[in-house]
């Protein structure tokens, strides 16, 4: 563990002071220049925005020349140029413009806290079809993956042809390069985006500043690795021998070994017919056995003898007699007419009393 008092910390909102003429009053000793070529389809756009480029570089006393015949852009220092790093920024500006980055974004390279990185991805994948698929994976559906990467790294990213141009702070450019190279190595960018999201949340906590973040970061393993299929027939190399292989036996040699060569023509034919008849007899016998299988009766299951009902329980005769008597007392069916009339008369009397 390291004490926080020993660490050098940068206060929040601190910025390095800008490089002014007072820092280098005598200027530069020699003139420096850089040139870069641009593709034909960028000619119209560069022609329109070139006055803005000259104005932006003129503030740093750097000249810019556009040659439409050769298809090149050139930047050179002047006697008034005092910042030695201005020519490097101007070189990066024309490189970004040649790589289809719009002027509004490319001009940010002239700021002190902004840098650029041009990542070459054309030679990282052999097959052209695979390269196109992985480049599309970096963009994502409707550019969503690229937009998420831009928000997490605070960088502007432009995927064009065989290169990826990134523009932003140094820490963001480092993450962008890692994600782009991993994508070309067949690692999906969503894994790196998840890691960046976790790092962004961890950076907000001041207590975790001096601790290791390994326990918080996810560890992704490949789960769909298929084992290499082994061929059914393995070709094993035979041991080398200086002697040639033995000559295969001819038909005559086989007949001589079995004794058929010395037989007459009739005897040979008779032997062949006997062999054919023996094969036919075996085939007829096998066919007959298969047919007879349908007539073989299946094995019957053994008969299980049912146990006789036990007569150990004694029958209660008196209880049965009582049930019969009670049943006789009960009247089944409708009442006779006389009883119905008596019942109706009794009911009428009760109503009158009430």
């Amino acid at each position: 563990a390291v004490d926080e008092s020993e660490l050098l910390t940068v206060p929040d909102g601190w910025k390095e002071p800008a490089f002014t003429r007072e820092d280098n009053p005598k200027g530069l000793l020699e003139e420096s220049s850089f040139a870069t070529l641009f593709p034909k389809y960028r000619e119209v756009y560069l022609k329109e925005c070139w006055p803005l480029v000259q104005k932006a570089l003129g503030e740093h006393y750097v000249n810019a020349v556009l040659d439409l015949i050769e298809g090149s852009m050139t930047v050179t220092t002047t006697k008034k140029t005092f910042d030695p790093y201005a020519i490097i920024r101007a070189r990066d500006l024309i490189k970004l413009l040649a790589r289809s980055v719009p002027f509004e974004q490319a001009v940010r390279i002239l700021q002190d806290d902004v840098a650029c990185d041009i990542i070459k991805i054309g030679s990282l994948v052999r097959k052209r079809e695979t390269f196109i698929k992985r480049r599309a994976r970096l963009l994502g559906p409707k550019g969503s993956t690229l937009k998420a990467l831009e928000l997490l790294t605070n960088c502007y990213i432009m995927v064009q042809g065989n290169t990826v141009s990134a523009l932003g702070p140094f820490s963001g450019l480092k993450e962008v390069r890692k994600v782009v190279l991993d994508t070309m190595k067949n690692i999906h960018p969503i894994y790196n985006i998840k890691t960046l999201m976790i790092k962004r949340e961890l950076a907000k906590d001041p207590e975790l500043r001096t601790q290791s973040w390994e326990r918080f970061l996810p560890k992704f393993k490949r789960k769909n690795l298929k084992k290499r299929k082994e061929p059914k027939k393995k070709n094993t190399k035979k041991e080398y021998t200086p002697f040639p292989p033995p000559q295969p036996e001819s038909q005559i040699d086989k007949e001589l070994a079995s004794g058929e060569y010395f037989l007459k023509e009739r005897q040979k034919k008779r032997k062949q017919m006997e062999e054919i008849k023996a094969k036919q007899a075996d085939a007829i016998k096998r066919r007959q056995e298969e047919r007879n299988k349908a007539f073989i009766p299946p094995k019957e299951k053994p008969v299980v003898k049912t146990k006789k009902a036990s007569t150990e329980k004694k029958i209660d005769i008196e209880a049965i007699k009582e049930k019969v008597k009670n049943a006789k007392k009960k009247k089944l069916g409708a009442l006779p007419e006389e009883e119905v009339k008596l019942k109706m008369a009794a009911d009428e009397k009760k109503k009158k009393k009430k």
Side-chain angles (χ1 to χ4, degrees):
V2 182
D3 294 336
E4 289 191 4
S5 60
E6 295 179 6
L7 296 171
L8 292 171
T9 56
V10 179
D12 294 334
W14 182 85
K15 283 187 178 181
E16 192 175 348
F19 193 86
T20 58
R21 184 172 285 280
E22 294 174 2
D23 298 318
N24 187 17
K26 294 182 180 180
L28 304 176
L29 292 173
E30 293 187 6
E31 185 182 294
S32 302
S33 65
F34 289 100
T36 185
L37 299 172
F38 59 87
K40 184 74 175 175
Y41 61 86
R42 291 290 288 170
E43 186 177 325
V44 177
Y45 179 78
L46 291 172
K47 200 173 179 181
E48 289 175 359
C49 72
W50 197 249
L52 298 171
V53 175
Q54 288 179 324
K55 186 181 178 182
L57 292 175
E59 293 175 3
H60 298 270
Y61 303 103
V62 177
N63 284 337
V65 180
L66 178 67
D67 192 344
L68 297 174
I69 297 166
E70 288 185 0
S72 66
M73 294 178 282
T74 311
V75 287
T76 53
T77 56
T78 59
K79 292 180 180 180
K80 292 182 179 180
T81 308
F82 60 88
D83 186 359
Y85 201 72
I87 188 65
I88 303 296
R89 288 184 184 140
R91 178 200 66 183
D92 292 340
L93 174 63
I94 59 174
K95 274 188 179 180
L96 291 169
L97 289 170
R99 295 309 313 152
S100 298
V101 177
F103 171 75
E104 292 78 12
Q105 293 290 341
V107 77
R108 287 171 52 211
I109 195 68
L110 300 175
Q111 299 173 15
D112 288 338
D113 56 345
V114 179
C116 75
D117 189 9
I118 297 169
I119 307 157
K120 293 179 181 179
I121 57 172
S123 59
L124 297 176
V125 185
R126 287 183 181 181
K127 291 183 180 179
R128 183 68 182 171
E129 293 175 2
T130 312
F131 168 72
I132 292 164
K133 284 180 183 177
R134 291 182 187 175
R135 187 178 63 181
R137 192 183 294 169
L138 183 64
L139 293 168
K142 296 180 181 179
S144 57
T145 307
L146 197 68
K147 190 67 182 174
L149 196 61
E150 285 180 347
L151 291 169
L152 289 167
T153 56
N154 296 323
C155 294
Y156 173 81
I157 305 166
M158 181 74 185
V159 182
Q160 174 71 18
N162 295 332
T163 58
V164 177
S165 306
L167 187 76
F170 289 98
S171 58
L173 292 174
K174 185 181 175 184
E175 297 293 343
V176 170
R177 177 171 275 272
K178 183 180 180 298
V179 174
V180 170
L181 294 178
D182 283 352
T183 306
M184 290 294 123
K185 291 175 185 174
N186 202 21
I187 298 168
H188 204 281
I190 196 67
Y191 299 130
N192 287 312
I193 286 169
K194 281 184 180 179
T195 308
L196 288 171
M197 289 171 74
I198 294 164
K199 283 182 179 178
R200 192 179 188 181
E201 294 299 319
L202 292 170
K204 294 176 183 177
D205 193 350
E207 293 179 2
L208 296 170
R209 191 164 58 85
T210 57
Q211 297 179 14
S212 176
W213 292 352
E214 287 294 325
R215 57 200 170 108
F216 300 109
L217 300 177
K219 293 177 182 178
F220 300 106
K221 293 181 181 178
R222 291 188 179 185
K223 294 180 181 178
N224 59 345
L225 282 175
K226 293 180 181 178
K227 291 183 179 178
R228 189 179 177 185
K229 290 182 179 178
E230 294 182 357
K232 290 180 180 178
K233 292 181 181 179
K234 291 184 178 179
N235 296 326
T236 53
K237 287 186 178 180
K238 295 177 182 179
E239 292 182 4
Y240 172 74
T241 53
F243 306 104
Q247 193 173 0
E249 288 184 351
S250 64
Q251 189 67 26
I252 296 167
D253 293 337
K254 289 176 182 177
E255 288 178 359
L256 283 167
S258 62
E260 290 180 19
Y261 184 77
F262 303 103
L263 295 173
K264 291 180 180 179
E265 197 68 30
R266 285 182 185 176
Q267 290 173 336
K268 285 181 182 179
K269 285 183 179 179
R270 195 185 300 158
K271 193 176 181 182
Q272 286 175 359
M273 289 298 293
E274 285 174 0
E275 287 175 359
I276 291 164
K277 284 180 180 179
K279 285 180 181 177
Q280 287 176 352
D282 289 339
I284 291 163
K285 190 178 179 182
R286 268 188 267 107
R287 211 177 297 125
Q288 196 66 34
E289 285 176 359
E290 287 178 3
R291 286 175 183 171
N292 291 337
K293 281 179 184 178
F295 300 102
I296 297 167
K299 290 182 181 180
E300 294 182 359
K301 293 179 181 178
V303 179
V304 180
K305 292 180 180 180
T306 55
K307 293 180 181 180
K308 291 181 180 180
S310 58
T311 56
E312 293 177 0
K313 292 180 180 179
K314 292 180 180 180
I315 298 165
D316 195 353
I317 297 165
E318 292 179 1
I320 294 166
K321 284 179 180 180
E322 286 179 6
K323 284 182 181 179
V324 172
K325 282 178 184 180
N326 293 332
K328 283 179 180 179
K329 287 178 184 179
K330 288 179 180 178
K331 292 178 180 180
L332 301 171
L335 295 169
E337 290 181 5
E338 294 176 359
E339 287 184 8
V340 172
K341 287 177 181 178
L342 291 168
K343 199 171 185 181
M344 288 174 68
D347 291 338
E348 285 176 5
K349 284 179 181 179
K350 285 179 181 178
K351 287 180 181 178
K352 286 177 180 179
K353 284 177 182 180
K354 289 179 180 179

